[in-house]
Amino acid sequence: MAARKEGATRLDPEIAEELLLMGRFFRPHGLRGEVKVIPETDDPDHFSGLETVYVGQEPEVASPRLVQSVRFQQTKHGVTVILKLEGVDSPESAGALRDQFVYARESDLPELEEDEVYLHDLIGLAVVTEAGEQVGTVSDVLDMPGHITYVVERPGQSDALIPGVPEFVIEVDLDAGRVVIRPIEGLLE
């Protein structure tokens, strides 16, 4: 993470703890202060319902900004979000946001479906096989085209990459703090 600028105001820790990464400002769009955002969420439509976003290099120093409008642009790389924030009224002020991150409060996002989880909730879960053998701990989750991939840290071994598809991931149990997998030959080597 980037170093905190001297004099930067720290956000209330309870709010900072609730912030989820939504995207990264890419560049200005047009002449009215709109900014292109590369979404870091699997559903860019989540931007549509937001009245406030938080802008900064890290959640602890992000500042709240009122959302004036949200549009979407289809590109060859996927969907880009075009965001208009209160107080950002020129290409220059929009350009000042370049490479800053956009966060939203989890409580401001739509309710998850019964079988959905936030990717950050998977970090730290124990990974075990169907037979109950300990494999390791989820250290990261990669959002790949088509599916997620669990990065599993294993003591004394290299990390394992487990595709998040039903053939390999049998169960994700947040309450029990574990992911149950069905390894095939070569998956954990």
Side-chain angles (χ1 to χ4, degrees), residues 81-133:
V81 177
I82 300 175
L83 202 57
K84 175 71 173 90
L85 301 177
E86 186 175 90
V88 181
D89 299 316
S90 69
E92 293 77 23
S93 59
L97 297 174
R98 184 183 204 117
D99 294 328
Q100 295 286 314
F101 294 103
V102 182
Y103 301 93
R105 291 178 78 158
E106 187 173 336
S107 59
D108 291 341
L109 296 171
E111 294 260 340
L112 294 176
E113 297 293 324
E114 189 173 317
D115 62 340
E116 292 181 317
V117 297
Y118 288 113
L119 295 182
H120 72 273
D121 289 336
L122 300 170
I123 307 296
L125 294 181
V127 178
V128 298
T129 66
E130 290 178 287
E133 299 168 3

Short mmCIF file of all heavy atoms in Angstrom, two decimals, residues 81-133:
data_model
loop_
_atom_site.label_atom_id
_atom_site.label_comp_id
_atom_site.label_asym_id
_atom_site.label_seq_id
_atom_site.Cartn_x
_atom_site.Cartn_y
_atom_site.Cartn_z
N VAL A 81 -16.76 1.69 -15.81
CA VAL A 81 -17.73 2.54 -15.13
C VAL A 81 -17.31 3.99 -15.34
O VAL A 81 -16.14 4.33 -15.19
CB VAL A 81 -17.76 2.22 -13.62
CG1 VAL A 81 -18.72 3.14 -12.89
CG2 VAL A 81 -18.12 0.76 -13.39
N ILE A 82 -18.27 4.83 -15.71
CA ILE A 82 -18.01 6.26 -15.84
C ILE A 82 -18.74 6.95 -14.70
O ILE A 82 -19.96 6.92 -14.62
CB ILE A 82 -18.45 6.80 -17.21
CG1 ILE A 82 -17.68 6.06 -18.30
CG2 ILE A 82 -18.22 8.30 -17.29
CD1 ILE A 82 -18.09 6.39 -19.71
N LEU A 83 -17.95 7.52 -13.81
CA LEU A 83 -18.46 8.04 -12.55
C LEU A 83 -18.34 9.56 -12.52
O LEU A 83 -17.31 10.12 -12.91
CB LEU A 83 -17.63 7.44 -11.42
CG LEU A 83 -18.14 7.36 -10.02
CD1 LEU A 83 -19.46 6.61 -9.94
CD2 LEU A 83 -17.12 6.67 -9.14
N LYS A 84 -19.39 10.22 -12.07
CA LYS A 84 -19.37 11.68 -11.86
C LYS A 84 -19.57 11.93 -10.37
O LYS A 84 -20.55 11.49 -9.79
CB LYS A 84 -20.49 12.34 -12.68
CG LYS A 84 -20.63 13.84 -12.43
CD LYS A 84 -19.45 14.60 -13.04
CE LYS A 84 -19.64 16.10 -12.96
NZ LYS A 84 -19.12 16.70 -11.75
N LEU A 85 -18.59 12.58 -9.77
CA LEU A 85 -18.62 12.86 -8.33
C LEU A 85 -18.83 14.35 -8.09
O LEU A 85 -18.34 15.19 -8.86
CB LEU A 85 -17.30 12.42 -7.68
CG LEU A 85 -16.93 10.95 -7.82
CD1 LEU A 85 -15.57 10.69 -7.20
CD2 LEU A 85 -17.98 10.07 -7.21
N GLU A 86 -19.52 14.65 -7.01
CA GLU A 86 -19.72 16.04 -6.62
C GLU A 86 -18.37 16.71 -6.38
O GLU A 86 -17.48 16.13 -5.76
CB GLU A 86 -20.57 16.10 -5.35
CG GLU A 86 -20.95 17.51 -4.95
CD GLU A 86 -21.88 17.50 -3.76
OE1 GLU A 86 -21.38 17.54 -2.62
OE2 GLU A 86 -23.10 17.45 -3.99
N GLY A 87 -18.21 17.93 -6.91
CA GLY A 87 -16.97 18.68 -6.72
C GLY A 87 -15.90 18.37 -7.73
O GLY A 87 -14.85 19.01 -7.73
N VAL A 88 -16.12 17.40 -8.60
CA VAL A 88 -15.17 17.08 -9.66
C VAL A 88 -15.84 17.54 -10.96
O VAL A 88 -16.72 16.86 -11.50
CB VAL A 88 -14.85 15.57 -9.71
CG1 VAL A 88 -13.85 15.27 -10.82
CG2 VAL A 88 -14.32 15.10 -8.36
N ASP A 89 -15.42 18.76 -11.42
CA ASP A 89 -16.16 19.41 -12.51
C ASP A 89 -15.34 19.72 -13.75
O ASP A 89 -15.82 20.41 -14.65
CB ASP A 89 -16.78 20.71 -11.98
CG ASP A 89 -17.77 20.44 -10.85
OD1 ASP A 89 -18.57 19.50 -10.98
OD2 ASP A 89 -17.72 21.16 -9.84
N SER A 90 -14.11 19.24 -13.80
CA SER A 90 -13.27 19.52 -14.97
C SER A 90 -12.38 18.32 -15.24
O SER A 90 -12.16 17.48 -14.37
CB SER A 90 -12.39 20.75 -14.70
OG SER A 90 -11.42 20.44 -13.70
N PRO A 91 -11.84 18.25 -16.45
CA PRO A 91 -10.90 17.16 -16.75
C PRO A 91 -9.68 17.19 -15.82
O PRO A 91 -9.15 16.15 -15.46
CB PRO A 91 -10.49 17.42 -18.20
CG PRO A 91 -11.59 18.24 -18.78
CD PRO A 91 -12.13 19.06 -17.64
N GLU A 92 -9.28 18.38 -15.40
CA GLU A 92 -8.12 18.50 -14.53
C GLU A 92 -8.42 17.92 -13.14
O GLU A 92 -7.60 17.18 -12.59
CB GLU A 92 -7.68 19.97 -14.40
CG GLU A 92 -7.14 20.58 -15.68
CD GLU A 92 -8.24 20.94 -16.70
OE1 GLU A 92 -9.41 21.15 -16.30
OE2 GLU A 92 -7.91 20.98 -17.89
N SER A 93 -9.59 18.26 -12.57
CA SER A 93 -9.92 17.71 -11.26
C SER A 93 -10.19 16.22 -11.34
O SER A 93 -9.88 15.47 -10.41
CB SER A 93 -11.10 18.46 -10.62
OG SER A 93 -12.26 18.40 -11.42
N ALA A 94 -10.73 15.77 -12.47
CA ALA A 94 -10.92 14.33 -12.67
C ALA A 94 -9.56 13.64 -12.80
O ALA A 94 -9.35 12.54 -12.26
CB ALA A 94 -11.78 14.07 -13.90
N GLY A 95 -8.63 14.27 -13.48
CA GLY A 95 -7.29 13.71 -13.65
C GLY A 95 -6.55 13.55 -12.34
O GLY A 95 -5.71 12.66 -12.18
N ALA A 96 -6.86 14.41 -11.36
CA ALA A 96 -6.21 14.32 -10.05
C ALA A 96 -6.59 13.04 -9.32
O ALA A 96 -5.91 12.64 -8.37
CB ALA A 96 -6.58 15.54 -9.21
N LEU A 97 -7.66 12.39 -9.75
CA LEU A 97 -8.11 11.13 -9.11
C LEU A 97 -7.43 9.90 -9.71
O LEU A 97 -7.56 8.80 -9.16
CB LEU A 97 -9.62 10.99 -9.25
CG LEU A 97 -10.46 12.05 -8.56
CD1 LEU A 97 -11.93 11.86 -8.90
CD2 LEU A 97 -10.24 12.03 -7.06
N ARG A 98 -6.70 10.08 -10.79
CA ARG A 98 -6.07 8.96 -11.48
C ARG A 98 -5.29 8.07 -10.50
O ARG A 98 -4.56 8.56 -9.64
CB ARG A 98 -5.13 9.48 -12.56
CG ARG A 98 -4.52 8.38 -13.38
CD ARG A 98 -3.55 8.94 -14.41
NE ARG A 98 -3.44 7.98 -15.48
CZ ARG A 98 -3.79 8.20 -16.72
NH1 ARG A 98 -4.25 9.36 -17.09
NH2 ARG A 98 -3.67 7.25 -17.61
N ASP A 99 -5.50 6.77 -10.63
CA ASP A 99 -4.83 5.73 -9.83
C ASP A 99 -5.25 5.71 -8.35
O ASP A 99 -4.67 4.97 -7.57
CB ASP A 99 -3.31 5.82 -9.94
CG ASP A 99 -2.84 5.50 -11.36
OD1 ASP A 99 -3.49 4.68 -12.03
OD2 ASP A 99 -1.83 6.08 -11.79
N GLN A 100 -6.25 6.50 -7.98
CA GLN A 100 -6.84 6.38 -6.64
C GLN A 100 -7.82 5.21 -6.68
O GLN A 100 -8.31 4.83 -7.74
CB GLN A 100 -7.60 7.66 -6.27
CG GLN A 100 -6.72 8.88 -6.13
CD GLN A 100 -5.91 8.85 -4.86
OE1 GLN A 100 -6.41 8.55 -3.79
NE2 GLN A 100 -4.63 9.14 -4.98
N PHE A 101 -8.11 4.65 -5.52
CA PHE A 101 -9.06 3.55 -5.44
C PHE A 101 -10.43 4.05 -5.04
O PHE A 101 -10.56 5.07 -4.36
CB PHE A 101 -8.57 2.50 -4.44
CG PHE A 101 -7.30 1.82 -4.89
CD1 PHE A 101 -6.09 2.17 -4.33
CD2 PHE A 101 -7.33 0.85 -5.89
CE1 PHE A 101 -4.92 1.55 -4.75
CE2 PHE A 101 -6.16 0.23 -6.31
CZ PHE A 101 -4.96 0.59 -5.75
N VAL A 102 -11.45 3.32 -5.47
CA VAL A 102 -12.84 3.63 -5.14
C VAL A 102 -13.34 2.52 -4.21
O VAL A 102 -13.23 1.34 -4.56
CB VAL A 102 -13.73 3.67 -6.39
CG1 VAL A 102 -15.15 4.05 -6.02
CG2 VAL A 102 -13.17 4.62 -7.43
N TYR A 103 -13.85 2.92 -3.05
CA TYR A 103 -14.38 1.97 -2.08
C TYR A 103 -15.85 2.27 -1.83
O TYR A 103 -16.31 3.40 -2.04
CB TYR A 103 -13.64 2.10 -0.75
CG TYR A 103 -12.15 1.86 -0.83
CD1 TYR A 103 -11.26 2.91 -1.02
CD2 TYR A 103 -11.63 0.58 -0.73
CE1 TYR A 103 -9.89 2.70 -1.08
CE2 TYR A 103 -10.26 0.35 -0.78
CZ TYR A 103 -9.40 1.42 -0.97
OH TYR A 103 -8.05 1.20 -1.04
N ALA A 104 -16.57 1.28 -1.35
CA ALA A 104 -17.96 1.46 -0.92
C ALA A 104 -18.14 0.72 0.39
O ALA A 104 -17.46 -0.27 0.67
CB ALA A 104 -18.92 0.92 -1.96
N ARG A 105 -19.07 1.23 1.19
CA ARG A 105 -19.39 0.53 2.44
C ARG A 105 -20.18 -0.72 2.11
O ARG A 105 -21.07 -0.71 1.27
CB ARG A 105 -20.22 1.43 3.35
CG ARG A 105 -19.44 2.61 3.90
CD ARG A 105 -20.29 3.50 4.74
NE ARG A 105 -20.46 2.87 6.06
CZ ARG A 105 -20.77 3.53 7.14
NH1 ARG A 105 -20.98 4.82 7.10
NH2 ARG A 105 -20.90 2.90 8.29
N GLU A 106 -19.83 -1.81 2.75
CA GLU A 106 -20.52 -3.08 2.52
C GLU A 106 -22.02 -2.93 2.75
O GLU A 106 -22.83 -3.49 2.02
CB GLU A 106 -19.94 -4.16 3.42
CG GLU A 106 -20.47 -5.53 3.15
CD GLU A 106 -19.75 -6.62 3.94
OE1 GLU A 106 -18.59 -6.43 4.34
OE2 GLU A 106 -20.38 -7.67 4.14
N SER A 107 -22.40 -2.13 3.74
CA SER A 107 -23.82 -1.94 4.06
C SER A 107 -24.56 -1.16 2.97
O SER A 107 -25.79 -1.18 2.93
CB SER A 107 -23.98 -1.24 5.41
OG SER A 107 -23.32 0.02 5.39
N ASP A 108 -23.84 -0.47 2.09
CA ASP A 108 -24.46 0.27 0.99
C ASP A 108 -24.66 -0.59 -0.26
O ASP A 108 -25.29 -0.14 -1.22
CB ASP A 108 -23.62 1.50 0.61
CG ASP A 108 -23.63 2.57 1.69
OD1 ASP A 108 -24.55 2.55 2.54
OD2 ASP A 108 -22.72 3.42 1.68
N LEU A 109 -24.12 -1.79 -0.25
CA LEU A 109 -24.21 -2.67 -1.42
C LEU A 109 -25.43 -3.57 -1.30
O LEU A 109 -25.93 -3.82 -0.20
CB LEU A 109 -22.94 -3.52 -1.54
CG LEU A 109 -21.67 -2.70 -1.80
CD1 LEU A 109 -20.45 -3.59 -1.70
CD2 LEU A 109 -21.73 -2.03 -3.16
N PRO A 110 -25.92 -4.09 -2.44
CA PRO A 110 -27.08 -4.99 -2.38
C PRO A 110 -26.78 -6.23 -1.55
O PRO A 110 -25.63 -6.67 -1.45
CB PRO A 110 -27.30 -5.38 -3.85
CG PRO A 110 -26.53 -4.41 -4.66
CD PRO A 110 -25.44 -3.89 -3.79
N GLU A 111 -27.84 -6.78 -0.95
CA GLU A 111 -27.70 -8.03 -0.18
C GLU A 111 -27.18 -9.13 -1.10
O GLU A 111 -27.58 -9.22 -2.26
CB GLU A 111 -29.05 -8.45 0.39
CG GLU A 111 -29.60 -7.49 1.41
CD GLU A 111 -29.38 -7.98 2.82
OE1 GLU A 111 -29.16 -9.17 3.02
OE2 GLU A 111 -29.42 -7.12 3.72
N LEU A 112 -26.32 -9.98 -0.55
CA LEU A 112 -25.82 -11.12 -1.32
C LEU A 112 -26.88 -12.21 -1.40
O LEU A 112 -27.70 -12.36 -0.48
CB LEU A 112 -24.57 -11.70 -0.66
CG LEU A 112 -23.33 -10.80 -0.65
CD1 LEU A 112 -22.22 -11.48 0.13
CD2 LEU A 112 -22.88 -10.48 -2.06
N GLU A 113 -26.85 -12.96 -2.49
CA GLU A 113 -27.71 -14.13 -2.60
C GLU A 113 -27.22 -15.17 -1.59
O GLU A 113 -26.10 -15.10 -1.10
CB GLU A 113 -27.65 -14.71 -4.02
CG GLU A 113 -28.15 -13.78 -5.09
CD GLU A 113 -29.64 -13.51 -5.00
OE1 GLU A 113 -30.40 -14.44 -4.64
OE2 GLU A 113 -30.05 -12.36 -5.28
N GLU A 114 -28.04 -16.17 -1.30
CA GLU A 114 -27.72 -17.17 -0.29
C GLU A 114 -26.40 -17.89 -0.57
O GLU A 114 -25.64 -18.21 0.33
CB GLU A 114 -28.85 -18.19 -0.19
CG GLU A 114 -28.69 -19.13 0.98
CD GLU A 114 -29.89 -20.02 1.15
OE1 GLU A 114 -31.03 -19.52 1.04
OE2 GLU A 114 -29.68 -21.22 1.39
N ASP A 115 -26.08 -18.15 -1.84
CA ASP A 115 -24.87 -18.89 -2.17
C ASP A 115 -23.69 -17.98 -2.54
O ASP A 115 -22.68 -18.44 -3.04
CB ASP A 115 -25.16 -19.87 -3.31
CG ASP A 115 -25.58 -19.17 -4.59
OD1 ASP A 115 -26.01 -17.99 -4.53
OD2 ASP A 115 -25.49 -19.79 -5.66
N GLU A 116 -23.79 -16.68 -2.28
CA GLU A 116 -22.73 -15.74 -2.62
C GLU A 116 -21.96 -15.31 -1.37
O GLU A 116 -22.52 -15.27 -0.27
CB GLU A 116 -23.30 -14.49 -3.28
CG GLU A 116 -23.88 -14.71 -4.66
CD GLU A 116 -24.41 -13.41 -5.25
OE1 GLU A 116 -25.06 -12.62 -4.55
OE2 GLU A 116 -24.17 -13.20 -6.44
N VAL A 117 -20.69 -14.98 -1.57
CA VAL A 117 -19.86 -14.43 -0.49
C VAL A 117 -18.98 -13.35 -1.11
O VAL A 117 -18.73 -13.34 -2.31
CB VAL A 117 -18.95 -15.50 0.18
CG1 VAL A 117 -19.75 -16.58 0.85
CG2 VAL A 117 -17.96 -16.09 -0.81
N TYR A 118 -18.52 -12.42 -0.28
CA TYR A 118 -17.52 -11.47 -0.74
C TYR A 118 -16.18 -12.17 -0.77
O TYR A 118 -15.86 -12.96 0.13
CB TYR A 118 -17.45 -10.25 0.20
CG TYR A 118 -18.65 -9.36 0.08
CD1 TYR A 118 -19.55 -9.22 1.13
CD2 TYR A 118 -18.89 -8.63 -1.08
CE1 TYR A 118 -20.66 -8.39 1.03
CE2 TYR A 118 -19.99 -7.80 -1.20
CZ TYR A 118 -20.87 -7.68 -0.15
OH TYR A 118 -21.95 -6.87 -0.26
N LEU A 119 -15.38 -11.89 -1.79
CA LEU A 119 -14.09 -12.55 -1.94
C LEU A 119 -13.19 -12.33 -0.72
O LEU A 119 -12.49 -13.24 -0.31
CB LEU A 119 -13.39 -12.09 -3.22
CG LEU A 119 -14.09 -12.46 -4.53
CD1 LEU A 119 -13.26 -11.99 -5.72
CD2 LEU A 119 -14.38 -13.94 -4.62
N HIS A 120 -13.25 -11.13 -0.13
CA HIS A 120 -12.38 -10.87 1.03
C HIS A 120 -12.74 -11.76 2.21
O HIS A 120 -11.90 -12.01 3.08
CB HIS A 120 -12.40 -9.39 1.42
CG HIS A 120 -13.67 -8.95 2.06
ND1 HIS A 120 -14.76 -8.53 1.34
CD2 HIS A 120 -14.04 -8.88 3.36
CE1 HIS A 120 -15.74 -8.21 2.16
NE2 HIS A 120 -15.34 -8.43 3.40
N ASP A 121 -13.98 -12.26 2.26
CA ASP A 121 -14.38 -13.15 3.36
C ASP A 121 -13.74 -14.53 3.25
O ASP A 121 -13.74 -15.30 4.22
CB ASP A 121 -15.90 -13.30 3.41
CG ASP A 121 -16.60 -12.04 3.89
OD1 ASP A 121 -15.97 -11.24 4.60
OD2 ASP A 121 -17.78 -11.85 3.54
N LEU A 122 -13.19 -14.85 2.08
CA LEU A 122 -12.57 -16.16 1.88
C LEU A 122 -11.12 -16.20 2.40
O LEU A 122 -10.61 -17.27 2.72
CB LEU A 122 -12.58 -16.53 0.39
CG LEU A 122 -13.98 -16.62 -0.24
CD1 LEU A 122 -13.86 -16.76 -1.75
CD2 LEU A 122 -14.77 -17.77 0.36
N ILE A 123 -10.49 -15.02 2.49
CA ILE A 123 -9.11 -14.96 2.95
C ILE A 123 -9.04 -15.44 4.40
O ILE A 123 -9.81 -15.02 5.25
CB ILE A 123 -8.56 -13.52 2.85
CG1 ILE A 123 -8.75 -12.93 1.46
CG2 ILE A 123 -7.09 -13.48 3.29
CD1 ILE A 123 -8.01 -13.63 0.35
N GLY A 124 -8.11 -16.35 4.66
CA GLY A 124 -7.91 -16.86 6.01
C GLY A 124 -8.66 -18.15 6.31
O GLY A 124 -8.45 -18.75 7.36
N LEU A 125 -9.52 -18.58 5.39
CA LEU A 125 -10.24 -19.84 5.63
C LEU A 125 -9.28 -21.02 5.51
O LEU A 125 -8.38 -21.03 4.68
CB LEU A 125 -11.38 -20.02 4.62
CG LEU A 125 -12.55 -19.03 4.68
CD1 LEU A 125 -13.60 -19.39 3.62
CD2 LEU A 125 -13.18 -18.99 6.06
N ALA A 126 -9.50 -22.03 6.35
CA ALA A 126 -8.73 -23.27 6.26
C ALA A 126 -9.19 -24.03 5.03
O ALA A 126 -10.37 -24.00 4.66
CB ALA A 126 -8.95 -24.11 7.50
N VAL A 127 -8.26 -24.72 4.38
CA VAL A 127 -8.59 -25.55 3.22
C VAL A 127 -8.32 -26.99 3.61
O VAL A 127 -7.22 -27.33 4.05
CB VAL A 127 -7.76 -25.15 1.98
CG1 VAL A 127 -8.07 -26.05 0.80
CG2 VAL A 127 -8.00 -23.68 1.63
N VAL A 128 -9.35 -27.83 3.47
CA VAL A 128 -9.24 -29.25 3.81
C VAL A 128 -9.81 -30.08 2.66
O VAL A 128 -10.62 -29.60 1.87
CB VAL A 128 -10.01 -29.59 5.12
CG1 VAL A 128 -9.43 -28.84 6.30
CG2 VAL A 128 -11.49 -29.30 4.98
N THR A 129 -9.35 -31.33 2.58
CA THR A 129 -9.88 -32.23 1.57
C THR A 129 -11.18 -32.85 2.08
O THR A 129 -11.51 -32.73 3.26
CB THR A 129 -8.89 -33.37 1.25
OG1 THR A 129 -8.75 -34.18 2.42
CG2 THR A 129 -7.53 -32.83 0.80
N GLU A 130 -11.89 -33.54 1.19
CA GLU A 130 -13.11 -34.25 1.58
C GLU A 130 -12.83 -35.24 2.70
O GLU A 130 -13.69 -35.50 3.54
CB GLU A 130 -13.67 -35.04 0.39
CG GLU A 130 -14.25 -34.22 -0.71
CD GLU A 130 -14.73 -35.11 -1.83
OE1 GLU A 130 -13.86 -35.64 -2.57
OE2 GLU A 130 -15.96 -35.27 -1.98
N ALA A 131 -11.62 -35.80 2.71
CA ALA A 131 -11.25 -36.78 3.73
C ALA A 131 -10.83 -36.12 5.04
O ALA A 131 -10.48 -36.81 6.00
CB ALA A 131 -10.10 -37.65 3.20
N GLY A 132 -10.84 -34.77 5.08
CA GLY A 132 -10.51 -34.06 6.31
C GLY A 132 -9.04 -33.73 6.48
O GLY A 132 -8.64 -33.22 7.52
N GLU A 133 -8.21 -33.98 5.45
CA GLU A 133 -6.78 -33.67 5.52
C GLU A 133 -6.57 -32.17 5.37
O GLU A 133 -7.14 -31.54 4.47
CB GLU A 133 -6.03 -34.40 4.42
CG GLU A 133 -6.14 -35.91 4.50
CD GLU A 133 -5.62 -36.58 3.22
OE1 GLU A 133 -5.14 -35.88 2.30
OE2 GLU A 133 -5.74 -37.80 3.14
#
